[in-house]
């Protein structure tokens, strides 16, 4: 299909990269830290509360504001799909009080490892220790990384693609 660049290797970035790769795109995931999912390691006191096992109506009842905004996202890839993805990737899950879902191991690192396995299986190129410095609007659009990586038709410090996805970054796309 095309080339997609995802900036940010947190849970949203890993999922965006995985979805694009599964849709047939060549994907590059850029992460400024030394590892993917760095903040995920501390979620749920290190256990990683993955999702909630409640039905969709209950989930929507607990959204405080603008629940309509989430309808399409929840119905496109719901909590059951998240659980299925992780379990098929080798991360068994358990449901605790209040429907909270955790890895059986109680280690957030197992969730990260499962997502990394899926990224590797889907041939996502991962650039760690690479901070996205700028979005160069051109055809194709490029992300200036300052990392020395050479990709596509970009310069030695840029990655170029058909589409970009920003996950967990402080950027807004012009």
């Amino acid at each position: 299909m095309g080339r997609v660049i995802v900036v940010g290797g947190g849970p949203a970035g890993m999922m965006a990269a995985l979805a694009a790769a599964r849709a047939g795109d060549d994907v590059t995931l850029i992460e400024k830290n030394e590892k993917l999912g760095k903040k995920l390691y501390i979620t749920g006191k290190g256990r990683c509360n993955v999702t909630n096992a409640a039905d969709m109506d209950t989930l929507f009842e607990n959204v405080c504001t603008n629940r309509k905004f989430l309808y399409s996202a929840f119905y496109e890839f719901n909590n059951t799909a998240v659980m299925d993805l992780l379990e098929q990737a080798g991360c068994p899950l358990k449901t605790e009080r209040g429907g909270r879902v955790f890895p059986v191991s109680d280690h957030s690192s197992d969730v990260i490892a499962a997502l990394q396995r899926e990224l590797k299986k889907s041939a996502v190129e991962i650039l760690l220790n690479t901070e996205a410095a700028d979005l160069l609007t051109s055809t194709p659009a490029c992300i200036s990384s300052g990392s020395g990586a050479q990709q596509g038709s970009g310069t030695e410090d840029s990655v170029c693609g058909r589409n970009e996805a920003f996950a967990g970054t402080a950027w807004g796309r012009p």
Side-chain angles (χ1 to χ4, degrees):
M1 293 191 119
R3 182 153 171 70
V4 174
I5 303 164
V6 178
V7 178
M14 288 188 279
M15 292 299 290
L18 187 56
R22 288 181 171 181
D25 289 307
D26 292 323
V27 180
T28 299
L29 174 59
I30 300 173
E31 171 55 43
K32 69 179 178 180
N33 292 308
E34 70 283 356
K35 59 187 171 188
L36 295 177
K38 189 170 182 178
K39 291 180 185 173
L40 195 59
Y41 279 102
I42 61 172
T43 61
K45 297 181 183 174
R47 296 175 58 210
C48 187
N49 184 349
V50 173
T51 188
N52 192 289
D55 62 45
M56 293 303 281
D57 289 336
T58 303
L59 288 175
F60 282 123
E61 287 170 11
N62 287 284
V63 175
C64 296
T65 59
N66 202 8
R67 64 183 63 152
K68 288 183 180 181
F69 174 75
L70 296 174
Y71 285 171
S72 63
F74 273 30
Y75 283 108
E76 182 70 27
F77 196 79
N78 62 24
N79 54 345
T80 304
V82 171
M83 292 185 284
D84 289 346
L85 179 131
L86 289 172
E87 290 193 323
Q88 290 169 11
C91 181
L93 302 172
K94 63 181 176 181
T95 303
E96 294 186 357
R97 175 182 49 83
R100 297 173 304 147
V101 178
F102 294 92
V104 169
S105 66
D106 284 330
H107 296 290
S108 57
S109 58
D110 290 343
V111 172
I112 296 165
L115 291 172
Q116 287 177 321
R117 281 190 297 275
E118 291 302 301
L119 291 169
K120 184 176 181 177
K121 192 164 68 173
S122 298
V124 172
E125 177 185 22
I126 299 170
L127 301 177
L128 299 174
N129 296 305
T130 305
E131 188 165 353
D134 199 7
L135 171 63
L136 310 173
T137 54
S138 60
T139 306
C142 298
I143 305 288
S144 173
S145 65
S147 69
Q150 185 166 3
Q151 299 292 331
S153 61
T155 64
E156 66 181 39
D157 65 345
S158 65
V159 180
C160 298
R162 173 180 62 83
N163 294 312
E164 310 78 39
F166 299 98
T169 66
W171 286 14
R173 181 158 184 205

